Amino acid sequence: MAEKFPNIPLVMHEDTFYDFFIPYRHPESNDDIWGGHGLETYGEDIKLVFRLNNNYVWTVLDGSDNLNQWIVPNIHYVNRVCYLVTEIPHNDLPVEFRIPHRNSSLTPLGLKRQMNKLGRALAWWNNASEAEKRFACGMK
């Protein structure tokens, strides 16, 4: 097993999500939501979501605290706001991006640190065995 496991699951700021995974407006999108990047949770957009490679699909969720929202990998149904598609796959990395209820952004240094941390964690995750992944997530 690898000597050093990343701190999983990762919780990061939404700025890191946008800069690292690069969401985009899918050409078949029917609505203009979430800054033009979002896919709706119904109609033709949800049909499109189910046709896409799940490694590039993210769900925006309302938080249980009713303040923050979250961007999480894969397709989720409960508390979903919309779906996002990215250029970079998540490969099921356990990561969550917090969207603060108060508009705030990371400093350039803070963003750089989170980008480096995320890059290292994803590289580790992509090369780890299933046993290493389970161990890093606290499962046996």
Side-chain angles (χ1 to χ4, degrees):
M1 287 191 190
E3 289 182 30
K4 184 173 182 191
F5 296 100
N7 187 14
I8 291 180
L10 296 171
V11 177
M12 306 190 118
H13 191 277
E14 73 171 313
D15 291 352
T16 309
F17 169 78
Y18 290 109
D19 280 20
F20 191 93
F21 288 102
I22 312 168
Y24 66 94
R25 180 180 174 86
H26 194 280
E28 296 178 45
S29 176
N30 288 302
D31 293 298
D32 187 19
I33 63 169
W34 207 259
H37 295 133
L39 294 168
E40 279 291 359
T41 60
Y42 57 86
E44 293 303 312
D45 277 0
I46 192 68
K47 291 177 188 176
L48 172 60
V49 167
F50 291 134
R51 288 194 324 261
L52 296 172
N53 181 329
N54 199 35
N55 267 330
Y56 297 87
V57 177
W58 299 75
T59 306
V60 178
L61 301 172
D62 274 331
S64 59
D65 59 9
N66 293 324
L67 296 175
N68 300 310
Q69 291 182 319
W70 298 86
I71 301 171
V72 297
N74 299 312
I75 299 169
H76 298 267
Y77 303 99
V78 178
N79 296 338
R80 64 189 177 176
V81 174
C82 68
Y83 298 102
L84 301 172
V85 183
T86 59
E87 293 181 13
I88 308 296
H90 53 69
N91 296 331
D92 295 320
L93 176 70
V95 62
E96 300 174 346
F97 297 93
R98 186 174 65 90
I99 305 165
H101 72 282
R102 292 193 176 128
N103 247 352
S104 68
S105 294
L106 293 173
T107 65
L109 180 59
L111 178 60
K112 182 177 180 181
R113 286 179 175 160
Q114 283 201 2
M115 293 282 286
N116 288 336
K117 183 177 181 180
L118 180 57
R120 286 190 308 273
L122 189 59
W124 180 88
W125 187 261
N126 288 340
N127 293 305
S129 69
E130 289 304 312
E132 290 172 321
K133 290 176 183 180
R134 285 192 305 276
F135 184 81
C137 292
M139 301 184 300
K140 294 183 179 182

